[in-house]
Amino acid sequence: MPYPLPQFTEPEPYGFLYLGFQAAPVQRLPFYARTPQRRQTAARLVRAVPALVRRPDVVSVDVFRTVFIPPLPGTPRYDLAMLIRTARVDHLEAVRTCDEVSALDGEQILVGVNVARIGDTEARTDGTFLFNHFTAAPDTDAEAVWRSVTGWYTSKTGVDNSTALRPTGPSSFALVNYVRLPAGAARFLSGQLTRPSFHTFVRATLAAHGMHALPAFHRLVHRSV
């Protein structure tokens, strides 16, 4: 069953550096509590933000704490995350390798660009943020497949924003979708899994192209701008 595609807006012109941070040993339980180790790591990352945004090649820095990750193999299972925007795409390499980023000691999950966008993911700072990591079979046009299912999400879940990031170099993921959700993780997931059309349309479309979605849910800790 076809769903009307949403209105796509102009992609952001920036480069994107998406980092993950482990504050404690990797856990397999889906819920992430705010432990002292995670609070300390979050505070360390927030303290590092001013030095990053003082760089002329950095536009903004967001710090997130993980709240929920479903137990799906291959999902990045980090306690915290950081999203850095660079002023231009050709600044990515300089920022990725700079002393300020190296000192963070994070895992570089994706270095890339925004290839498609719906609404404004950063219009608000409240709520739950989803980073959906897509794997894909070789030579799959992951962006085109993602676009083809966006109408289901805007029609059925109330999502009104999405920022699709494509890697510019080697990556475990063909696409990472960054979204501010209209509700929490549990409500969002139940709104998918209890709808037959999610399985017959969204999951079937992804499977037909060898794609898998690996979601991680976060709350914003700090935004530089």
Side-chain angles (χ1 to χ4, degrees), residues 32-196:
Y32 282 64
R34 298 181 71 181
T35 64
Q37 288 173 300
R38 289 172 181 150
R39 288 193 184 96
Q40 290 167 11
T41 302
R44 176 177 68 84
L45 297 178
V46 171
R47 289 195 299 270
V49 169
L52 280 165
V53 296
R54 279 197 295 268
R55 292 181 57 95
D57 49 9
V58 171
V59 171
S60 67
V61 181
D62 292 349
V63 179
F64 301 88
R65 64 176 178 86
T66 305
V67 294
F68 184 83
I69 300 179
L72 299 174
T75 309
R77 307 192 67 82
Y78 294 101
D79 299 307
L80 295 112
M82 179 180 282
L83 190 65
I84 301 172
R85 284 174 172 80
T86 63
R88 298 202 312 260
V89 174
D90 59 6
H91 288 153
L92 274 169
E93 184 62 19
V95 174
R96 184 184 73 81
T97 58
C98 72
D99 291 342
E100 293 89 344
V101 169
S102 297
L104 297 174
D105 196 26
E107 180 73 24
Q108 296 185 10
I109 302 172
L110 179 138
V111 179
V113 296
N114 176 210
V115 289
R117 187 161 68 106
I118 302 166
D120 182 1
T121 301
E122 301 208 337
R124 298 201 314 269
T125 59
D126 60 324
T128 300
F129 289 82
L130 164 67
F131 284 79
N132 210 2
H133 311 79
F134 291 92
T135 60
D139 301 321
T140 299
D141 187 344
E143 179 194 342
V145 178
W146 171 82
R147 281 177 179 266
S148 73
V149 300
T150 53
W152 186 92
Y153 281 96
T154 54
S155 299
K156 299 296 186 181
T157 70
V159 167
D160 63 0
N161 68 95
S162 190
T163 303
L165 306 177
R166 185 179 65 199
T168 54
S171 175
S172 299
F173 306 107
L175 199 75
V176 173
N177 186 29
Y178 167 50
V179 187
R180 176 178 33 80
L181 299 177
R187 186 172 173 184
F188 176 76
L189 288 173
S190 66
Q192 291 186 121
L193 298 175
T194 59
R195 294 179 185 272

Side-chain angles (χ1 to χ4, degrees), residues 1 3 22 82-83 112 123 136 148 159-160 182 197 199 214 217 221:
M1 175 181 179
Y3 295 89
Q22 206 66 58
M82 179 180 282
L83 190 65
S148 73
V159 167
D160 63 0
S197 57
H199 304 279
L214 305 171
F217 298 86
V221 173

